């Protein structure tokens, strides 16, 4: 699991995710520069965000069993979201983006470990105006115009400020209730876990029932 320093910086704790590199704009343990240049052609927000130091990368290595690692991916996502929330009202707040990089994994890939945490985080933080994504190493994709998007060199889970006029239509068409929540999102400072335990053993079944 991860925890926070008093200044909000992530620190490592014992668990199934090993912190390889604390939050950095230009991390040393993974090469983001080439990937960012290639993807900037598809995302108009990325280059200005990087230029202003508003995109951060925290690098972890999967070091435990799948169940424990999945729980800690979720908690790392919560930490990232709570880092982003107070920054959204500052200058250029719409450009803030935090990325959780996942390396390694013995038997279970990062893509599988991100699936349920990603779904839970989307539903918890969408109503306060945040969007979560998930990308895995080597993933092949295309944009809405059919152009190929460069494959990521590593797996990662990003969280950013929602673009409310665009995101619900482009990314949430298969989840209409969530699309409406994001379109109407207001971050009023609410505690997103007010009515839900942060324990992953509680959150996972909650997230699963949302699919029905």
């Amino acid at each position: 699991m991860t925890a926070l320093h008093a200044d909000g910086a992530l620190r490592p704790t014992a668990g199934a995710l090993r912190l390889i590199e604390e939050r950095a704009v230009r991390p040393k343990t993974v090469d983001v520069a080439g990937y960012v240049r290639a993807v900037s052609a598809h995302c108009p927000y990325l280059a200005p965000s990087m230029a202003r130091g508003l995109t951060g990368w925290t690098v972890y290595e999967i070091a435990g069993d799948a169940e424990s690692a999945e729980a800690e991916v979720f908690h790392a996502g919560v930490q990232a979201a709570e880092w982003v929330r107070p920054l959204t009202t500052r200058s250029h707040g719409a450009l803030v983006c935090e990325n959780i990089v996942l390396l390694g994994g013995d038997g279970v890939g990062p893509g599988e470990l991100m699936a349920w945490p990603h779904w839970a985080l989307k539903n918890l933080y969408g109503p306060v105006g945040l969007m979560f994504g998930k990308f895995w190493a080597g993933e092949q994709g295309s944009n809405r115009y059919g152009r190929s998007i460069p494959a990521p060199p590593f797996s990662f889970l990003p969280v950013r400020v929602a673009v409310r006029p665009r995101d619900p239509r482009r990314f949430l068409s298969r989840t209409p209730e969530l699309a409406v929540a994001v379109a109407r999102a207001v971050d009023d400072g609410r505690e997103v876990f007010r009515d839900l335990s942060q324990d992953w053993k509680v959150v996972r079944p909650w997230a699963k029932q949302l699919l029905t």
Side-chain angles (χ1 to χ4, degrees), residues 2-20:
T2 57
L4 292 178
H5 289 301
D7 62 1
L10 286 167
R11 65 175 175 82
T13 61
L17 287 186
R18 181 180 296 119
L19 182 60
I20 301 299

Side-chain angles (χ1 to χ4, degrees), residues 65-208:
D65 63 274
E67 182 178 356
S68 299
E70 186 182 67
E72 297 200 11
V73 169
F74 170 73
H75 288 294
V78 171
Q79 301 284 4
E82 294 299 337
W83 169 280
V84 169
R85 287 181 74 182
L87 301 178
T88 61
T89 58
R90 298 184 185 180
S91 179
H92 305 296
L95 299 177
V96 175
C97 178
E98 288 297 310
N99 299 280
I100 301 161
V101 178
L102 301 174
L103 304 178
D106 184 13
V108 179
E112 292 180 64
L113 294 179
M114 289 190 294
W116 281 112
H118 170 255
W119 173 243
L121 291 162
K122 281 174 63 173
N123 281 277
L124 283 165
Y125 285 96
V128 294
L130 298 185
M131 286 283 289
F132 275 85
K134 66 179 188 300
F135 302 90
W136 55 91
E139 176 186 5
Q140 300 295 319
S142 59
N143 64 16
R144 57 179 172 165
Y145 303 110
R147 292 189 298 167
S148 294
I149 298 174
F154 45 76
S155 301
F156 68 104
L157 189 77
V159 54
R160 61 169 174 80
V161 181
V163 183
R164 289 183 295 168
R166 184 195 69 178
D167 287 341
R169 181 179 66 256
R170 289 190 61 188
F171 301 117
L172 302 173
S173 60
R174 297 174 64 183
T175 52
E177 291 185 5
L178 181 56
V180 170
V182 171
R184 298 175 178 174
V186 174
D187 193 347
D188 52 10
R190 78 189 72 170
E191 168 55 64
V192 299
F193 290 98
R194 181 179 55 192
D195 301 316
L196 180 69
S197 169
Q198 291 191 40
D199 187 337
W200 179 240
K201 292 181 179 179
V202 175
V203 175
R204 196 181 197 277
W206 169 82
K208 190 172 183 179

Side-chain angles (χ1 to χ4, degrees), residues 1-58:
M1 186 182 296
T2 57
L4 292 178
H5 289 301
D7 62 1
L10 286 167
R11 65 175 175 82
T13 61
L17 287 186
R18 181 180 296 119
L19 182 60
I20 301 299
E21 185 172 3
E22 293 192 358
R23 182 188 184 277
V25 175
R26 292 174 177 80
K28 299 177 181 178
T29 53
V30 289
D31 182 10
V32 304
Y35 177 64
V36 166
R37 283 195 300 269
V39 174
S40 293
H42 302 270
C43 176
Y45 299 92
L46 185 53
S49 176
M50 289 290 293
R52 290 179 171 84
L54 297 176
T55 291
W57 307 81
T58 304

